[in-house]
């Protein structure tokens, strides 16, 4: 009988620790807001620690994945199919946000005059909005040097350099094998570093949640609760119905996938950053049967182009501002808003704070809605960022499995074992095969 891994005690499980930290942070922030607000550095430090490791994780995963492919045409197929998937579902998310905002109309009744709004707080976001243009996007994806992306941590630039280096390594054939072997060995300590750093997640989640509640307070969102609730329900339905249908068609359950990545979801909820879970999500999708090369291309690219939660937020927030300021948008104007959002949501890839900045970029191009109206949702944006990040994370995990299946790069047995939590059978199978050898 093989030695099966010991079951962890409840307090040793990461997501249980993160849940406890979130509840503790909410309690501290509510009853001692000054102390809670002062704990912001804990959350910021954890995000900074994670960002420190993201660049090498992406580089090693993408390079070893591409260089290990025998057929370079497969790389183009993965990228092409990923982009098709991203474009389809990110556009659908924009449409759903637009439709729900028209049905629920969360901004009706506020009757706020655009002239009375204080736009001074959003000037910085508007100034950054030019980065969301196509020109800004192209300038953002091309790094200063080959190694600079590994220093500045820009995901798109890291991906750009990794793909080129991976293709080059594959093109030189046997001469590149020693380098490939070295990078494959280097991946082991890097991912071990990730698992060690993730142990700090509860501290980061505690600090981030204590700051959020301490600074903004639970009561401060009461008058805008309709928008928040509408956004959360819409995102949940998008995940369960739209992504659920995609998952079912591709042979897996979206509920099982959510359970499988629950550690990453709780981490995102506590830190309001989907980047915090990127390294561990990539490893988990590999363990779920997706080939390393597919995961290395789909997940990092999806973090820039497959932002379902952000897209739902963009159209819903834009219509909320229009409704709150008494502006009745025609069908033509709403279609224009949708088309602009489709472009700006892609152009903002890699821009920090993309959700709010792309909204500023979109409203700057659609003159019917006042950009100053963003001041209405600035205070509650922090409370919606968690939902955006959670929806984005589930969307990218789903995309990874779907694209892997399209490319015949999915071990379905391994996927079902992972999603069903059937660790025992896989351990027994491994030990049985090794004993037979």
């Amino acid at each position: 009988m093989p030695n099966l891994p010991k079951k962890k005690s409840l307090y040793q499980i990461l997501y249980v620790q993160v849940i406890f930290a979130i509840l503790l942070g909410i309690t501290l922030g509510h009853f001692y807001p000054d102390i809670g607000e002062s704990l912001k550095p804990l959350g910021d430090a954890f995000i900074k620690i994670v960002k420190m490791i993201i660049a090498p994780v992406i580089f090693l995963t993408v390079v070893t994945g591409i260089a290990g492919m025998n057929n370079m045409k497969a790389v183009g197929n993965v990228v092409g199919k990923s982009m098709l998937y991203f474009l389809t579902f990110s556009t659908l998310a924009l449409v759903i946000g637009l439709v729900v905002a028209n049905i629920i109309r969360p901004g009706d009744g506020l009757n706020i005059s655009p002239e009375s709004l204080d736009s001074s707080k959003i000037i910085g976001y508007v100034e950054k909005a030019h980065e969301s243009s196509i020109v800004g996007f192209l300038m953002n994806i091309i790094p200063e040097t080959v190694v600079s992306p590994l220093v500045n941590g820009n995901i798109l630039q890291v991906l750009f350099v990794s793909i080129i280096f991976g293709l080059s390594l594959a093109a030189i054939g046997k001469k590149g094998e020693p380098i490939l072997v070295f990078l494959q060995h280097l991946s082991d300590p890097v991912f071990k570093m990730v698992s060690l750093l993730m142990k700090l997640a509860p501290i980061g989640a505690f600090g981030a949640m204590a700051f959020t509640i301490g600074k903004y307070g639970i009561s401060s969102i009461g008058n805008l609760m309709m928008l928040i609730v509408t956004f959360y329900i819409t995102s949940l339905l998008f995940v369960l119905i739209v992504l659920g249908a995609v998952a079912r068609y591709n042979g897996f359950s979206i509920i099982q996938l959510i359970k499988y990545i629950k550690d990453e979801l709780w981490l995102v909820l506590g830190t309001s950053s989907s980047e915090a879970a990127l390294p561990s999500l990539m490893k988990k999708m590999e363990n779920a049967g997706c080939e390393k090369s597919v995961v290395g291309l789909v997940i990092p690219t999806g973090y820039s182009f497959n932002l379902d939660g952000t897209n739902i937020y963009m159209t819903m927030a834009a219509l909320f501002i229009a409704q709150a300021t008494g502006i009745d948008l025609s069908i033509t104007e709403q279609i224009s808003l949708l088309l602009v959002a489709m472009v700006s949501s892609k152009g903002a890839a890699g821009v920090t704070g993309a959700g709010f900045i792309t909204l500023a970029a979109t409203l700057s191009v659609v003159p019917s809605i006042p950009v100053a109206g963003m001041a209405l949702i600035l205070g509650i944006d922090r409370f919606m960022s968690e939902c955006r990040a959670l929806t984005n994370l589930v969307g990218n995990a789903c995309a990874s499995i779907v694209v892997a299946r399209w490319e015949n790069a999915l071990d379905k047995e391994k996927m079902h074992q992972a999603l069903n939590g059937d660790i025992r059978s896989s351990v027994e199978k491994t030990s049985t095969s090794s004993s037979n050898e």
Side-chain angles (χ1 to χ4, degrees), residues 130-156:
H130 74 278
E131 296 181 41
S132 299
S133 65
I134 295 298
V135 175
F137 166 71
L138 291 174
M139 295 303 294
N140 188 45
I141 196 174
I142 302 173
E144 293 290 331
T145 67
V146 172
V147 297
S148 60
L150 298 176
V151 177
N152 61 34
N154 184 305
I155 292 179
L156 272 180

Side-chain angles (χ1 to χ4, degrees), residues 405-420:
R405 178 180 173 272
W406 287 353
E407 279 296 295
N408 294 318
L410 177 66
D411 185 333
K412 293 182 181 179
E413 185 179 355
K414 192 175 179 182
M415 177 191 73
H416 288 304
Q417 285 181 351
L419 298 190
N420 291 326

Side-chain angles (χ1 to χ4, degrees), residues 118-190:
D118 179 14
S119 60
S120 61
K121 294 181 180 179
I122 64 168
I123 290 175
Y125 293 100
V126 176
E127 289 175 349
K128 287 183 179 180
H130 74 278
E131 296 181 41
S132 299
S133 65
I134 295 298
V135 175
F137 166 71
L138 291 174
M139 295 303 294
N140 188 45
I141 196 174
I142 302 173
E144 293 290 331
T145 67
V146 172
V147 297
S148 60
L150 298 176
V151 177
N152 61 34
N154 184 305
I155 292 179
L156 272 180
Q157 292 182 359
V158 174
L159 192 61
F160 180 75
V161 170
S162 301
I163 291 172
I164 293 175
F165 188 79
L167 291 172
S168 302
L169 194 59
I172 60 176
K174 288 189 176 181
K175 290 182 180 179
E177 286 182 3
I179 299 174
L180 177 59
V181 171
F182 169 74
L183 293 177
Q184 288 171 337
H185 287 312
L186 184 60
S187 297
D188 293 332
V190 168

Side-chain angles (χ1 to χ4, degrees), residues 379-414:
I380 62 166
D381 181 72
R382 187 69 173 76
F383 293 93
M384 293 193 286
S385 63
E386 287 91 349
C387 187
R388 290 200 299 263
L390 289 170
T391 308
N392 294 341
L393 188 80
V394 176
N396 284 315
C398 182
S400 183
I401 295 178
V402 172
V403 175
R405 178 180 173 272
W406 287 353
E407 279 296 295
N408 294 318
L410 177 66
D411 185 333
K412 293 182 181 179
E413 185 179 355
K414 192 175 179 182

Side-chain angles (χ1 to χ4, degrees), residues 91-119:
T91 302
L92 184 58
L94 288 168
V95 172
I96 288 173
L98 200 69
V99 171
V100 172
N102 274 297
I103 295 173
I104 306 296
R105 301 191 66 82
D108 277 359
L110 289 178
N111 301 319
I112 297 170
S113 170
E115 290 76 19
S116 66
L117 296 170
D118 179 14
S119 60

Side-chain angles (χ1 to χ4, degrees), residues 40 147 150 158 182 216 248 278 288 304 317 321 329 377 385 431:
K40 186 176 186 290
V147 297
L150 298 176
V158 174
F182 169 74
Y216 300 107
R248 181 177 289 276
L278 189 151
S304 295
I321 293 169
L329 296 177
I377 59 173
S385 63
S431 61

Side-chain angles (χ1 to χ4, degrees), residues 68 162 170 191 254 277 289 339 353:
S162 301
F191 274 103
I254 196 69
L339 293 174

